[in-house]
Amino acid sequence: ETERDIENISVSLEKKNNEMEKEKENLKEAKKKLEEANAYIALNDNDSDLLATITKAKEIEGQLKALKNKETNAKNLVEITKKDVVLKEGQKNDFDQKYISIKDEEKREEDELSELNKERDSILDGVLPEGIERELEDIQTQMIKEEAFKSLEERRKELRDGEACPLCGALHHPYSDEAFIKEHNAETSRLASEIERLKALKNGLGIVDKKIKEKERSLNDIKQKAISIQGALELKKQELSASKEKKENY
C-alpha cells in the first residue's frame, strides 16, 4: 500500500511538472520578447509601446521566478510527504507487531491460569478448602485421643483379670486385650496417614493458590499493557491516514 501511495504521489508530481513545463515555454517566449525589446530600446529610447512591452516582460520574468520557487517548494513537500508516509507506515507496522505479540502473551497467560485452576479443582476434588481444614482438625483431635490411649499401654500390660485396676478398681480389663491394642495401633497408623494426606492437600492447595494469584496479577498487567499498545496503534493509524490525505492534495 505504501508503494502504491508513493507511486500516486509520483504521478501527481509528474502532472505538476508538465504544467510547469508549459508555463516555462510561455515564459521563455516572454523572455525572448524581453531581450528583443531591450535591444530595440537601446536604439529607440522614446518608444512608449516598447516601454509597455518591456514592463510586461519584466512582470512575466518575475512570475517565472515565482513559478520556479513554487516548483522547488512543491518538490520538497512531495519528498517530505513521501518520507512521512513511509515513516508513519513503519511506525504503524511496529505497533501492529507489538499488539500481536502482547495478545499472544495474554493468551498464553490465560491458558496457564486455566491449567492452574484445573489443578486446584483436582486437588479439591469437589471439596471446599474449608472442608479440608475441618477434616484435618477432626482427625488431629482423634489422633490426640489415640495417643492418650497409647500412653497408658505400659500400665495396661500390668493388668491381670481378677485383679483390681489401680485406677478404677475393675476386675475385668477389656482394654488390655492384645487384639484390642492391635486394633488401636492400626487406627493410630490410619489416622497418621490421613493427617499426612490432608496436610499434603492443604500445602498443595496453598502453593497452587499462590501461583494463581501471581498469574492473575501478571495477566492483569499484560491486559493493561495491551490496552495501552492498542491506543498507541490507533493513534498511529490516524497519523498515517492524515499523511496519506495530505500527500493527495499535492
Side-chain angles (χ1 to χ4, degrees):
E1 184 181 355
T2 302
E3 292 179 358
R4 186 164 57 253
D5 292 333
I6 294 174
E7 183 179 351
N8 291 337
I9 294 173
S10 298
V11 171
S12 177
L13 179 60
E14 184 177 356
K15 184 179 178 181
K16 292 287 186 181
N17 286 337
N18 291 337
E19 293 175 357
M20 289 182 180
E21 286 300 324
K22 291 180 181 179
E23 291 293 333
K24 286 179 181 180
E25 289 298 323
N26 293 334
L27 292 172
K28 185 177 180 181
E29 183 64 25
K31 285 183 70 176
K32 182 179 179 181
K33 290 181 179 181
L34 178 61
E35 291 172 356
E36 292 175 352
N38 284 332
Y40 183 83
I41 199 173
L43 300 174
N44 304 278
D45 292 338
N46 298 322
D47 193 323
S48 59
D49 291 335
L50 182 59
L51 289 174
T53 301
I54 292 172
T55 300
K56 182 64 176 178
K58 287 183 177 181
E59 290 177 359
I60 294 174
E61 186 177 22
Q63 292 173 2
L64 175 61
K65 290 180 180 179
L67 186 60
K68 285 183 177 179
N69 290 335
K70 185 176 180 181
E71 178 187 17
T72 300
N73 292 337
K75 285 181 179 180
N76 291 337
L77 286 173
V78 168
E79 288 303 316
I80 291 172
T81 303
K82 280 184 181 180
K83 293 178 181 178
D84 189 56
V85 169
V86 172
L87 175 64
K88 294 295 192 301
E89 186 74 31
Q91 291 174 340
K92 183 193 78 68
N93 290 338
D94 286 344
F95 276 95
D96 271 333
Q97 291 302 315
K98 287 181 181 179
Y99 186 68
I100 291 172
S101 177
I102 198 68
K103 293 303 287 186
D104 287 343
E105 186 177 356
E106 181 180 331
K107 180 63 169 57
R108 288 194 298 271
E109 291 290 301
E110 287 176 341
D111 290 343
E112 291 176 8
L113 180 59
S114 176
E115 289 301 316
L116 286 171
N117 281 316
K118 288 179 182 178
E119 184 179 351
R120 186 177 192 273
D121 292 340
S122 176
I123 292 173
L124 290 172
D125 194 22
V127 179
L128 294 175
E130 295 81 2
I132 294 176
E133 187 68 33
R134 282 196 301 270
E135 186 177 359
L136 179 59
E137 289 176 357
D138 291 342
I139 293 178
Q140 286 175 330
T141 300
Q142 294 178 45
M143 189 65 169
I144 290 172
K145 292 179 181 179
E146 287 296 325
E147 288 175 347
F149 180 84
K150 189 176 181 181
S151 69
L152 299 173
E153 185 174 345
E154 292 300 321
R155 299 297 301 272
R156 281 195 297 273
K157 290 180 180 178
E158 298 174 359
L159 297 175
R160 301 288 182 272
D161 280 341
E163 296 181 5
C165 172
L167 181 63
C168 65
L171 298 177
H172 183 57
H173 315 294
Y175 298 120
S176 65
D177 183 74
E178 186 176 346
F180 181 80
I181 292 174
K182 286 183 178 180
E183 179 182 341
H184 274 273
N185 287 339
E187 179 65 9
T188 299
S189 296
R190 186 191 71 80
L191 290 174
S193 297
E194 190 66 10
I195 287 172
E196 290 302 314
R197 183 185 72 83
L198 291 171
K199 282 183 176 180
L201 283 178
K202 183 179 177 181
N203 291 337
L205 182 62
I207 292 171
V208 171
D209 281 345
K210 182 179 178 181
K211 289 181 178 179
I212 287 174
K213 288 181 180 179
E214 291 174 350
K215 190 63 63 177
E216 286 175 340
R217 285 195 295 268
S218 175
L219 181 58
N220 183 64
D221 290 342
I222 290 172
K223 286 184 176 181
Q224 292 300 317
K225 189 175 180 180
I227 292 173
S228 176
I229 292 175
Q230 185 179 29
L233 175 59
E234 291 302 317
L235 178 61
K236 293 303 176 184
K237 286 180 178 179
Q238 292 174 10
E239 290 177 353
L240 176 60
S241 178
S243 293
K244 288 181 177 179
E245 183 179 353
K246 183 178 179 181
K247 62 87 181 174
E248 289 174 359
N249 294 327
Y250 292 137

